[in-house]
């Protein structure tokens, strides 16, 4: 018997049919004798609608608010109608939905009166997505004779007050999980909200978009689970985005390090922080498809050299801009890079990639598009004096670019991988604007014009497919 943490994403709980599929998956694992704890996302689309409701509340758009409230209610009602046979259970589940939606409207009214939303208010508003879905799913499961109990993760996940992207306070969280949740899981299957935490003084926070994965990993760690299973709507982690190259295939095995790079650089499968809580405990993670449960999915684990595969996957990040700081007077002037990055951080920008030419006369870095203007202004303000003295030129912003990342831990210790990547691009006339290699040596990132995206991904993906195929033939890299 194993103890399994299972997380079901938005599409996996997006309709009555999908939720029935979830119930079947859970029932089957229980029948196999496993001990389970479940984390669920909001029903697909609901988080976006709730964010929109905060905007509608701010602008006093009552009609839109009513429409949004109606759509969210109907989604949950439809699940209740379809999957709960008992009339009185149906009634009480609908009442729960109604009272949460009233609380949501009250919050919207409060925002409307103030005429402004805050990150704190926004977190309170989006929290309703998971609070609703978890209750309805728990009601469905118990109506179908599973012994479950609903919990709000905010009871256990204690975070800092960085609203909308909060980080857990690990010790407080561990104590809460061990005292409050661990004693329950032998007798019931907990159905827990994803996404939300709370500050030590009880204000609701969220752990960033897609944060339910991270929440599930935290529970998996502190409940000492044998495995974390992320149930989603694709068969597993893929060699590349199938929309860019239809030859994309599922990777049977990916290391913790590789999945970290993949998630950070654009693969949407997992929240980038998901492996943080489980990596030291070496808890395996599996990505599986709720709608194709016979597929084994992708196993994510600690073995680094699981295969001969050098290049495993290609990802891309769109909607980024590259900022270049350059100037003949920069050579030997210490601290310019440091001040630039501090100024960017103060402007609220997350830097995705940094690269410096060895001449020290320029360096460039990449931020998401909407931040580019603010970062340029902040950096120019910071470097005002150097710019006035012509030591530094004004900050150059380049748009319509993409970051491509080539991932594979076999690159470590395999010379010539970067050479192969860039000579291939050169041979295909794809111009590389900047390059960076992480110190983990498990990925290489570079920047190209957006118009070259599909071509570059397809070319590089051929390299990945080649090595993945070698693994398959040799029986390497597959845990099964
Ligand atoms: N519902 C949240 C989102 O859409 C969190 C999650 O699903 O992981 O971002
Ligand atoms: Mg997700």
């Amino acid at each position: 018997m194993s103890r399994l943490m299972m997380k079901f994403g938005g599409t996996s709980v997006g309709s009555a049919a999908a939720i029935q599929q979830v119930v079947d998956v859970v029932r089957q694992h229980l029948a196999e004798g496993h001990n389970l704890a479940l984390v669920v996302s909001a029903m697909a689309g609901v988080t976006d609608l709730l964010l929109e409701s905060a905007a509608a509340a701010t602008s006093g758009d009552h009609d839109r608010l009513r429409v949004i409230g109606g759509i969210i209610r109907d989604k949950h009602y439809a699940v209740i109608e379809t999957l709960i046979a008992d009339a009185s259970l149906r009634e009480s589940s609908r009442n729960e939905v109604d009272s949460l939606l009233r609380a949501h409207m009250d919050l919207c009214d409060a925002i409307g009166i103030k005429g402004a939303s805050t990150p704190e208010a926004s977190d309170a508003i989006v929290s309703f997505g998971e609070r609703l879905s978890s209750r309805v799913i728990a009601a469905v499961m118990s109506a179908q004779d599973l012994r479950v109990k609903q919990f709000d993760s905010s009871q256990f996940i204690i975070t800092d007050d960085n609203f909308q992207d909060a980080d857990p306070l690990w010790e407080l969280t561990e104590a809460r999980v061990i005292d409050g949740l661990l004693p329950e899981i032998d007798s019931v299957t907990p159905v827990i909200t994803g996404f939300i935490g709370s500050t030590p003084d009880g204000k609701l926070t969220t752990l960033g978009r897609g944060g339910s994965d991270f929440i599930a990993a935290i529970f998996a760690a502190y409940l000492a689970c044998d495995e974390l299973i992320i149930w989603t709507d694709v068969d597993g982690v893929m060699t590349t985005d199938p929309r860019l190259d239809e030859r994309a295939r599922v990777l049977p095995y990916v290391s913790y390090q590789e999945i970290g790079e993949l998630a950070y650089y654009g693969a949407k499968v997992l929240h980038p922080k998901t492996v943080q809580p489980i990596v030291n405990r070496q808890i395996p993670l599996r990505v599986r498809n709720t709608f194709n449960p016979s597929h084994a999915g992708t196993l994510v684990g600690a073995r680094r050299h699981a295969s001969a595969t050098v290049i495993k996957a290609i990802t891309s990040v769109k909607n980024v801009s590259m900022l270049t700081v350059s100037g003949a007077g920069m050579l030997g002037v210490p601290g310019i890079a440091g001040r630039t990055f501090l100024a960017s951080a103060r402007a609220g920008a997350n830097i995705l990639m940094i690269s410096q030419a060895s001449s020290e006369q320029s360096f460039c870095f990449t931020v998401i598009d909407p931040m580019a203007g603010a970062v340029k202004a902040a950096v120019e303000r910071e470097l005002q004096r150097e710019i006035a003295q012509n030591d530094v030129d004004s900050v150059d912003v380049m748009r319509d670019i993409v970051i491509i990342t080539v991932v594979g831990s076999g690159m470590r210790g395999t010379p010539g991988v970067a050479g192969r990547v860039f000579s291939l691009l050169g041979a295909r006339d794809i111009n590389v604007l900047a390059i960076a290699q992480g110190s983990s040596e498990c990925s290489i990132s570079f920047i190209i014009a957006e118009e070259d995206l599909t071509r570059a991904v397809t070319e590089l993906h051929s390299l990945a497919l080649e090595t993945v195929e070698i693994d398959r033939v040799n029986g390497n890299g597959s845990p099964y």
Side-chain angles (χ1 to χ4, degrees):
M1 185 189 87
S2 308
R3 179 178 294 165
L4 307 177
M5 173 78 234
M6 292 189 175
K7 179 260 173 177
F8 293 93
T11 4
S12 298
V13 299
S15 66
I19 291 176
Q20 186 57 52
Q21 192 78 23
V22 169
V23 177
D24 296 343
V25 164
V26 167
R27 190 189 304 283
Q28 195 200 327
H29 281 81
L30 289 170
E32 286 164 8
H34 300 298
N35 201 325
L36 306 184
L38 316 178
V39 163
V40 295
S41 284
M43 291 182 77
V46 169
T47 304
D48 289 331
L49 284 166
L50 288 167
L51 283 169
E52 198 194 327
S53 75
T58 310
S59 60
D61 189 346
H62 298 285
D63 291 343
R64 184 61 193 155
L65 268 183
R66 245 190 313 279
V67 170
I68 293 173
I71 300 174
I72 297 176
R73 185 196 56 223
D74 292 349
K75 273 183 191 278
H76 293 87
Y77 271 21
V79 175
I80 295 167
E81 291 313 311
T82 317
L83 300 182
I84 302 181
D86 181 275
S88 74
L89 284 178
R90 258 200 325 252
E91 173 76 16
S92 62
S93 187
R94 272 196 304 256
N95 288 342
E96 259 188 321
V97 169
D98 290 343
S99 83
L100 281 170
L101 285 175
R102 264 195 307 277
H104 164 248
M105 275 309 155
D106 289 346
L107 269 178
C108 288
D109 287 343
I111 289 177
I113 290 165
K114 277 203 206 127
S117 180
T118 58
E120 181 180 342
S122 167
D123 275 355
I125 287 207
V126 290
S127 75
F128 285 100
E130 273 71 9
R131 289 158 71 189
L132 284 161
S133 66
S134 60
R135 282 169 176 81
V136 169
I137 292 164
V140 166
M141 288 181 168
S142 74
Q144 299 194 18
D145 298 322
L146 297 177
R147 283 177 54 76
V148 299
K149 185 170 168 187
Q150 190 277 343
F151 293 92
D152 283 349
S153 52
S154 48
Q155 269 178 267
F156 309 112
I157 308 286
I158 308 302
T159 70
D160 59 19
D161 62 359
N162 187 19
F163 295 101
Q164 299 184 309
D165 193 19
D167 259 313
L169 302 173
W170 298 102
E171 275 150 33
L172 287 175
T173 299
E174 177 169 22
R176 292 277 189 107
V177 173
I178 288 174
D179 295 345
L181 194 57
L182 193 57
E184 303 267 3
I185 66 172
D186 286 331
S187 50
V188 292
T189 298
V191 179
I192 318 166
T193 62
F195 201 28
I196 50 183
S198 69
T199 62
D201 56 353
K203 294 181 183 126
L204 286 178
T205 56
T206 64
L207 283 76
R209 291 307 304 266
S212 300
D213 299 334
F214 189 22
I215 298 256
I218 298 168
F219 283 120
Y222 294 143
L223 294 172
C225 290
D226 298 293
E227 193 170 301
L228 165 62
I229 307 177
I230 304 277
W231 291 92
T232 178
D233 55 0
V234 291
D235 284 339
V237 180
M238 308 204 72
T239 46
T240 198
D241 182 344
R243 284 166 303 182
L244 292 176
D245 187 343
E246 60 184 18
R247 296 171 301 166
R249 47 197 275 190
V250 173
L251 287 160
Y253 180 83
V254 176
S255 72
Y256 289 130
Q257 227 181 10
E258 288 168 333
I259 196 79
E261 302 285 305
L262 283 167
Y264 187 76
Y265 286 110
K268 289 274 182 317
V269 274
L270 282 184
H271 186 284
K273 292 179 187 162
T274 310
V275 294
Q276 259 180 32
I278 58 172
V279 65
N280 286 336
R281 292 173 171 78
Q282 308 256 304
I283 298 170
L285 182 164
R286 216 177 273 271
V287 178
R288 299 190 60 182
N289 188 350
T290 314
F291 306 99
N292 186 15
S294 62
H295 195 292
T298 298
L299 177 68
V300 182
R303 279 181 302 148
R304 190 177 287 139
H305 293 290
S307 70
T309 308
V310 176
I311 295 176
K312 261 193 182 163
I314 321 293
T315 59
S316 58
V317 189
K318 285 204 273 193
N319 302 321
V320 288
S321 291
M322 181 167 86
L323 287 85
T324 304
V325 179
S326 59
M330 270 173 62
L331 183 69
V333 180
I336 297 223
R339 284 163 56 204
T340 299
F341 298 138
L342 267 181
S344 310
R346 277 197 299 266
N350 198 357
I351 293 174
L352 290 159
M353 183 183 141
I354 301 175
S355 150
Q356 176 170 31
S358 60
S359 72
E360 279 189 49
Q361 293 192 5
S362 78
F363 60 86
C364 56
F365 59 103
T366 313
V367 299
I368 55 165
D369 245 353
M371 292 303 302
V375 172
K376 173 180 160 72
V379 173
E380 287 181 345
R381 214 175 310 121
E382 173 65 37
L383 301 180
Q384 213 167 10
R385 196 163 34 95
E386 286 80 2
I387 292 173
Q389 291 167 358
N390 287 324
D391 287 337
V392 173
D393 306 330
S394 60
V395 176
D396 179 63
V397 178
M398 191 171 205
R399 294 179 201 271
D400 302 320
I401 53 153
V402 285
I403 303 179
I404 306 247
T405 303
V406 176
V407 178
S409 39
M411 281 182 202
R412 206 190 181 104
T414 309
V417 179
R420 232 180 131 193
V421 166
F422 294 115
S423 49
L424 182 64
L425 294 172
R428 299 294 184 275
D429 273 335
I430 295 169
N431 189 23
V432 177
L433 300 164
I435 302 174
Q437 175 164 35
S439 60
S440 71
E441 277 188 54
C442 139
S443 71
I444 303 172
S445 295
F446 55 90
I447 290 179
I448 57 171
E450 183 162 3
E451 59 186 25
D452 291 331
L453 170 67
T454 309
R455 228 155 43 88
V457 166
T458 309
E459 293 290 347
L460 294 168
H461 187 216
S462 298
L463 295 183
L465 289 175
E466 231 173 73
T467 47
V468 169
E469 184 58 20
I470 294 172
D471 272 344
R472 193 188 64 79
V473 172
N474 294 341
N476 282 331
S478 167
Y480 310 112

